[in-house]
Amino acid sequence: MPDEPRGCCRCCCSFIFTLGLTSLFMWLSLRSENPKCSIKDFYLPGLNKSLNTPDNTTLYFMLKLQNPNKDKGIFYDPVNVTIRNKSNTTNITYIGNYIVPKFYQGHKKTAKKVGNLTVDKKVLERAVFANETAVFRVDMETAVRFKIMAWKTKRHRIVVGADVVVNDQGSKNPAGQKKPKDVKLSQAPMGLKFCGMVGILLNFLVFIFLNF
Ligand SMILES: *[C@@H]1O[C@H](CO)[C@@H](O)[C@H](O)[C@H]1NC(C)=O
Ligand SMILES: *[C@@H]1O[C@H](CO)[C@@H](O)[C@H](O)[C@H]1NC(C)=O
Ligand SMILES: *[C@@H]1O[C@H](CO)[C@@H](O)[C@H](O)[C@H]1NC(C)=O
Ligand SMILES: *[C@@H]1O[C@H](CO)[C@@H](O)[C@H](O)[C@H]1NC(C)=O
């Protein structure tokens, strides 16, 4: 007789535990990895010393977006690419932005998106160091929804960026190099990843605690 409430409690606890384990496994299988973003090309003909066309104020870039997920597609919202002049670190100035239209990307696919914008001539002149190199800040902002079979997840915000250094040819790529390295766009430190890890750990501790 006195066993009955305890039995009920035990049953309740194991129910909670099972629920916890199930949600952990569901989370593991539904978990989606964010796309990997990088700058593949970055070129300002106006800063190419051997071309000598200082009136050309166009900036060209190529964005590379990779879907690392084996079985999930990605719906991208419009991708907002913002470029700033960072050669003067005490006075980082906005140059302009380019919007890549929204698109869908299949699993394990890589998308290369080109964009261009016009730089103010005065800004361009100020952007260059005495040794004719320059530093630009590239930031990218978008939101993605993952497609898991016929189902779409909620939006996940993506905010990444990096500094891009161009040489005296106005290009991020060293002259004559066949396979120049892409510049990886990454999240500011202390990002969501850390919070996510702490959240999972806390959840797990609560489940263990409930079982004792
Ligand atoms: C800069 O201009 C020179 C001369 O036209 C050209 O050969 C070179 O490819 C240009 N540099 C880049 C990075 O495009
Ligand atoms: C793109 O980003 C820039 C800089 O953060 C912002 O001023 C602009 O409003 C954004 N554009 C859109 C369409 O979100
Ligand atoms: C950087 O910008 C500040 C503020 O506009 C200016 O006073 C300074 O001279 C600039 N430095 C260089 C190296 O251009
Ligand atoms: C050019 O000058 C800048 C600022 O003085 C420096 O940070 C950069 O390393 C220099 N680049 C080269 C290739 O010498």
Side-chain angles (χ1 to χ4, degrees):
M1 277 289 182
D3 271 1
E4 210 160 301
R6 285 197 61 187
C8 180
C9 177
R10 183 166 293 177
C11 166
C12 180
C13 279
S14 70
F15 174 71
I16 288 172
F17 184 67
T18 314
L19 201 70
L21 270 187
T22 313
S23 48
L24 181 70
F25 281 111
M26 274 191 52
W27 178 82
L28 281 175
S29 62
L30 292 181
R31 183 178 54 147
S32 311
E33 244 188 285
N34 278 347
K36 292 187 164 62
C37 316
S38 54
I39 295 289
K40 189 163 176 57
D41 270 320
F42 197 91
Y43 180 47
L44 297 105
L47 297 185
N48 186 348
K49 207 173 56 174
S50 34
L51 211 55
N52 196 22
T53 51
D55 291 333
N56 186 343
T57 53
T58 311
L59 184 162
Y60 301 91
F61 66 86
M62 189 194 276
L63 199 63
K64 189 165 118 184
L65 303 164
Q66 283 173 290
N67 178 0
N69 297 290
K70 277 200 294 290
D71 44 14
K72 297 175 187 79
I74 299 181
F75 290 97
Y76 290 81
D77 276 359
V79 180
N80 190 357
V81 181
T82 308
I83 296 178
R84 291 183 178 83
N85 168 21
K86 211 184 170 183
S87 295
N88 186 339
T89 46
T90 56
N91 184 26
I92 298 172
T93 46
Y94 175 80
I95 289 179
N97 77 315
Y98 181 88
I99 310 270
V100 177
K102 62 178 185 174
F103 67 101
Y104 173 74
Q105 180 174 49
H107 47 85
K108 281 280 169 194
K109 290 280 198 304
T110 297
K112 288 174 186 154
K113 301 284 176 183
V114 290
N116 64 76
L117 46 106
T118 306
V119 184
D120 186 86
K121 191 148 181 281
K122 286 204 189 75
V123 172
L124 198 59
E125 280 160 6
R126 276 202 302 270
V128 185
F129 291 129
N131 59 16
E132 313 214 18
T133 68
V135 185
F136 296 91
R137 173 75 195 179
V138 180
D139 287 296
M140 192 200 105
E141 201 179 330
T142 188
V144 295
R145 282 169 299 165
F146 297 97
K147 181 172 173 278
I148 302 172
M149 287 180 281
W151 178 63
K152 275 189 214 173
T153 65
K154 67 178 174 60
R155 284 185 163 78
H156 297 253
R157 233 166 81 82
I158 292 183
V159 182
V160 290
D163 292 348
V164 176
V165 179
V166 304
N167 55 26
D168 61 0
Q169 298 224 320
S171 167
K172 99 178 208 322
N173 302 335
Q177 195 166 316
K178 281 249 167 56
K179 278 202 172 157
K181 260 185 89 171
D182 299 339
V183 176
K184 189 168 173 277
L185 301 176
S186 49
Q187 230 171 40
M190 279 302 286
L192 291 171
K193 222 171 211 167
F194 179 72
C195 293
M197 291 295 280
V198 171
I200 292 156
L201 211 71
L202 278 180
N203 263 323
F204 208 69
L205 283 178
V206 167
F207 285 131
I208 290 170
F209 188 73
L210 278 176
N211 266 278
F212 287 103

